Amino acid sequence: MMTAQSNLRRRLIQTTVGLWTKASRTVRRCPYRFLFHEMRLILFICGWLCTACSQKESLTVNEFAEKLGKAPHPQLLDARSPEEFARNHIQGAISVNMADGVAKQKVIETLDPASPTFTYSINSGRGVVLAAELRKLGFREVYALSGGLAAWVGAGYPLETFGENSGLTNEQFGQLIRSNRWVLADFSSSYCGGCRLLQPVLDSLEHQYPDELKIIRVELDESPGIIKEQKIEALPTLILFKHGQAVWKHKGIIKLPELLHALRNYAEL
């Protein structure tokens, strides 16, 4: 299946070839008209073609932050739910509720398709989907944040937060991982689909090894300081600690047999 970027590239190539064919006929009839009219149009289309071919559909967190900081009039779109947006967001962001088509369309109608546009969500998912929709609508520069807010916070970039964080502090987390021999920390969010899929796996693991292994759940929205300290790049992320030292790390969903196999390479389970 072709991406929006690939479709745009194909259409621009077809347009450029067509214009060049037309120009070739024109130059035989009127060379001056070709030079002053057709050539300018061809160069304009070629410029667009270069932009489309070179634009990355998703940017790493550092690339995203750099482009956002340098853009003269950026449009920063938060593709999470209004509830998530109300708790925290990147400064200057506009809320776009992907679950409400009418509300989403009203926001899009206020945007300028010619201005650089940046999208993000809790992970990559909704931000990437919104970016693809905007490209189909003719937005010229659209960049999605790879890894979403998890990567943003993990890399140390700031969030505007509303209300007090109710989760673990960095000090409390440090005490927990040092006071238990084996600790499995689950860095997640209740708004992350993959995180919710992982919960039954962790519940089963906790039930099987209630004394040998302590499982700690760290919510992005409640404990952003720990996410930053541990340099989390994606949700969910699992880290196994032995007496406070990280010995194993896994990003993404994992099945129980695979998780047990990985943990048994380090812990006596």
Side-chain angles (χ1 to χ4, degrees), residues 153-154 156 165-179 185 187 216-232 241 244:
V153 175
N165 295 324
S166 57
L168 292 170
T169 64
N170 290 41
E171 183 179 356
Q172 291 170 334
F173 179 78
Q175 290 175 348
L176 283 171
I177 63 175
R178 288 191 299 270
S179 60
F187 299 89
I216 301 174
R217 291 174 172 85
V218 181
E219 278 269 337
L220 168 65
D221 293 321
E222 297 175 355
S223 303
I226 301 175
I227 300 292
K228 176 182 177 181
E229 182 182 66
Q230 297 298 322
K231 296 181 172 57
I232 301 303
F241 293 91

Side-chain angles (χ1 to χ4, degrees), residues 16-188:
T16 305
V17 171
L19 285 170
W20 185 264
T21 302
K22 179 182 176 184
S24 299
R25 299 191 189 107
T26 304
V27 71
R28 288 194 292 268
R29 299 195 303 270
C30 181
Y32 293 105
R33 181 185 173 190
F34 165 73
L35 289 174
F36 288 102
H37 297 285
E38 304 291 348
M39 195 62 181
R40 284 189 302 177
L41 185 56
I42 290 172
L43 291 174
F44 174 78
I45 295 296
C46 286
W48 269 86
L49 179 60
C50 291
T51 299
C53 291
S54 62
Q55 185 185 134
K56 293 175 64 176
E57 294 188 359
S58 294
L59 300 179
T60 66
V61 62
N62 291 328
E63 292 171 338
F64 188 91
E66 182 180 4
K67 276 192 175 292
L68 180 62
K70 291 181 178 180
H73 302 289
Q75 300 174 131
L76 179 60
L77 308 180
D78 186 316
R80 300 176 300 159
S81 67
E83 180 185 359
E84 294 171 87
F85 183 83
R87 298 186 69 173
N88 53 55
H89 52 257
I90 300 175
Q91 184 177 15
I94 301 169
S95 177
V96 181
N97 185 3
M98 295 294 287
D100 187 334
V102 175
K104 178 178 68 175
Q105 186 58 35
K106 286 182 179 179
V107 174
I108 291 176
E109 289 174 355
T110 67
L111 303 175
D112 179 8
S115 295
T117 304
F118 300 80
T119 68
Y120 70 89
S121 57
I122 189 71
N123 269 331
S124 299
R126 286 169 289 179
V128 170
V129 171
L130 177 57
E133 290 183 12
L134 294 175
R135 291 188 190 99
K136 288 180 180 178
L137 292 173
F139 280 69
R140 183 173 180 180
E141 286 186 73
V142 187
Y143 305 101
L145 173 57
S146 179
L149 276 190
W152 182 267
V153 175
Y157 292 104
L159 280 183
E160 282 193 324
T161 302
F162 304 91
E164 295 184 2
N165 295 324
S166 57
L168 292 170
T169 64
N170 290 41
E171 183 179 356
Q172 291 170 334
F173 179 78
Q175 290 175 348
L176 283 171
I177 63 175
R178 288 191 299 270
S179 60
N180 294 272
R181 185 179 183 188
W182 295 105
V183 175
L184 182 64
D186 167 33
F187 299 89
S188 60

Side-chain angles (χ1 to χ4, degrees), residues 192-230:
C192 161
C195 302
R196 291 194 294 270
L197 291 174
L198 185 61
Q199 285 311 303
V201 174
L202 298 178
D203 291 342
S204 178
L205 185 66
E206 193 169 32
H207 179 73
Q208 290 184 49
Y209 303 98
D211 300 322
E212 298 89 341
L213 182 68
K214 184 173 183 60
I215 297 178
I216 301 174
R217 291 174 172 85
V218 181
E219 278 269 337
L220 168 65
D221 293 321
E222 297 175 355
S223 303
I226 301 175
I227 300 292
K228 176 182 177 181
E229 182 182 66
Q230 297 298 322

